Amino acid sequence: MAVYAFIFPGQGSQSVGMGADLAAAFPAARAVFEEVDDALGEKLSKTIFEGPMEALTSTENTQPALMAVSMAVLRVLEEQGGLDLAGKVTLLAGHSLGEYAALAAGRAFGVAQAARLLRTRGLAMQKAVPAGEGSMAALIGATLAQAQEICEKAGEGGVLEIANDNGGGQIVISGTMAAIDAAIILAKEMGIKRAVKLPVSAPFHCSLMRPAEDVMANALATTEIATPIIPVIANVTAEKVTAPDAIRQALTQQVTGRVRWRESIEAMTGMGVDTFVEIGAGKVLSGLVRRIDPEVSTSSVGTPADIEALLKSF
C-alpha cells in the first residue's frame, strides 16, 4: 500500500491562468480564491487568471497566488472528492513559500492567514535589498561541496550563500550582484556543467534577507498557529515540525536559511514515503523528487483532469 506525502510548489511554478479551470469547474476552488481576495482586499484572482505576467511574478503577488492555487486543488480533493487527508497522507512539505501552503493544508492556520503572511513576506523580501544589488544563480551539476567552495571564493568581500539544495545536482546560490557574477565565472572555470543567473527580483534565502526575517518574526508572533493534523517537514531543518512555537521559528529562519529540499525528500523516504503528490501549479517539484530518488512515484495535481486521476488512484 502506497505511503503518501503531499508537497507544495514555490516561486518559479507560477503561470498566468493557473487555477482558472479549477475555479470554473468547482465551487470549492472558487471559494478559496474569493477567500484570498477578501484577505488581501484586492482581486488577486484576476491577476492569477488574466495576468499580466509581470504583475504575477512580482513576489508579493506570486507568493499568495501559488498558495491559493495549491489550496484550491486541496479543497476540491477534500470537499468534492471526499479525500480524508489525515487518513491518507503521512507527511506534508513545501518548497520555500510552499511551506505555508503545506501548513495551511495541515490546518496549522487558515487560507486567509496564509495569504496575509505571504503578502507580508513578499513585500518584506522585496524591500530588504535595493533593486539591482542582489541576485541568485543556479549551479547545475554541482556538488554541495563545490557550491560551498564557490561561495567561499567568489563571496570574498560580499555575501554569497547556498540558498537551495534542490537535489539532483541543482544548487541555488544567493548574494550580492558582484559575488553572483564572480561565482558564475568561477563555476565555469571549475568545470560545473551550467551556472546561470536566475530572473529573480531579490537574493532570497541568504543573510541579506535579515530585515525581512525580522518582519516575519513579528508577523508570526501575533499569528495564531495550531498543531497541524499531519506533520510538516520544515525547509530549514529537513525534520518534522508540529509544535506551534517550532513552526514560528522554522518559518522565521526560513527567510534567510537554506531550503534543504534534497534532505527533506530523503528524510521523507526514510520515514517510508514512496509516493509524492505535488499539489498546485506546475511540475517543478515532481521533477526534483525524481532526480533525488528515481525509485519513488510522483504525480502533479493542478487541473480538474489531474484531480480525477488522483482520486481514481486512491
Side-chain angles (χ1 to χ4, degrees):
M1 191 169 161
V3 179
Y4 288 90
F6 277 13
I7 55 177
F8 298 83
Q11 203 145 308
S13 292
Q14 70 273 8
S15 61
V16 171
M18 62 182 183
D21 50 358
L22 293 170
F26 302 111
R30 281 198 297 280
V32 170
F33 291 112
E34 287 166 7
E35 190 175 353
V36 170
D37 287 349
D38 289 346
L40 299 179
E42 65 175 81
K43 283 278 188 185
L44 181 64
S45 59
K46 186 171 172 29
T47 303
I48 297 171
F49 301 155
E50 300 174 18
M53 188 63 174
E54 186 181 357
L56 183 59
T57 52
S58 181
T59 192
E60 71 265 24
N61 291 331
T62 308
Q63 298 198 28
L66 283 166
M67 182 278 300
V69 176
S70 289
M71 290 308 297
V73 172
L74 192 75
R75 284 270 179 90
V76 173
L77 286 169
E78 290 183 299
E79 293 183 17
Q80 294 178 245
L83 171 67
D84 173 13
L85 190 68
K88 198 73 185 174
V89 177
T90 301
L91 293 165
L92 302 168
H95 193 283
S96 189
L97 76 91
E99 192 166 326
Y100 286 78
L103 286 160
R107 313 291 197 272
F109 40 64
V111 168
Q113 284 173 301
R116 286 191 289 264
L117 285 168
L118 287 169
R119 169 56 58 84
T120 299
R121 185 178 183 265
L123 286 168
M125 287 175 142
Q126 195 60 61
K127 289 176 184 172
V129 179
E133 289 191 13
S135 189
M136 301 176 78
L139 306 177
I140 311 297
T143 65
L144 203 58
Q146 286 174 318
Q148 192 59 51
E149 183 183 345
I150 288 168
C151 285
E152 287 166 8
K153 289 181 177 176
E156 288 179 7
V159 171
L160 190 60
E161 297 161 16
I162 294 172
N164 301 3
D165 176 8
N166 283 333
Q170 186 191 109
I171 294 170
V172 176
I173 56 176
S174 183
T176 56
M177 187 70 78
I180 289 289
D181 289 339
I184 289 171
I185 293 167
L186 180 59
K188 288 171 182 170
E189 290 171 356
M190 288 173 61
I192 303 299
K193 187 176 175 183
R194 275 185 75 212
V196 57
K197 195 179 287 188
L198 297 177
V200 294
S201 52
F204 305 127
H205 297 294
C206 76
S207 56
L208 293 172
M209 288 284 116
R210 192 77 62 203
E213 183 178 88
D214 294 340
V215 169
M216 290 313 296
N218 291 331
L220 289 159
T222 57
T223 298
E224 194 171 321
I225 297 178
T227 300
I229 60 171
I230 301 167
V232 175
I233 302 296
N235 282 187
V236 290
T237 60
E239 295 173 354
K240 284 182 186 178
V241 61
T242 52
D245 281 344
I247 290 169
R248 284 189 185 89
Q249 185 176 20
L251 291 178
T252 300
Q253 293 175 345
Q254 191 218 64
V255 178
T256 58
R258 183 185 305 177
V259 176
R260 299 179 180 272
W261 191 248
R262 174 185 57 82
E263 294 171 67
S264 296
I265 298 302
E266 289 171 351
M268 286 188 274
T269 57
M271 294 175 205
V273 172
D274 57 18
T275 306
F276 291 85
V277 182
E278 182 174 9
I279 302 291
K283 300 181 178 182
V284 172
L285 296 186
S286 299
L288 292 178
V289 170
R290 282 195 297 273
R291 286 203 287 273
I292 294 165
D293 188 342
E295 301 299 311
V296 299
S297 173
T298 63
S299 60
S300 304
V301 182
T303 67
D306 295 338
I307 288 170
E308 187 179 349
L310 181 67
L311 291 170
K312 280 181 182 172
S313 73
F314 281 152

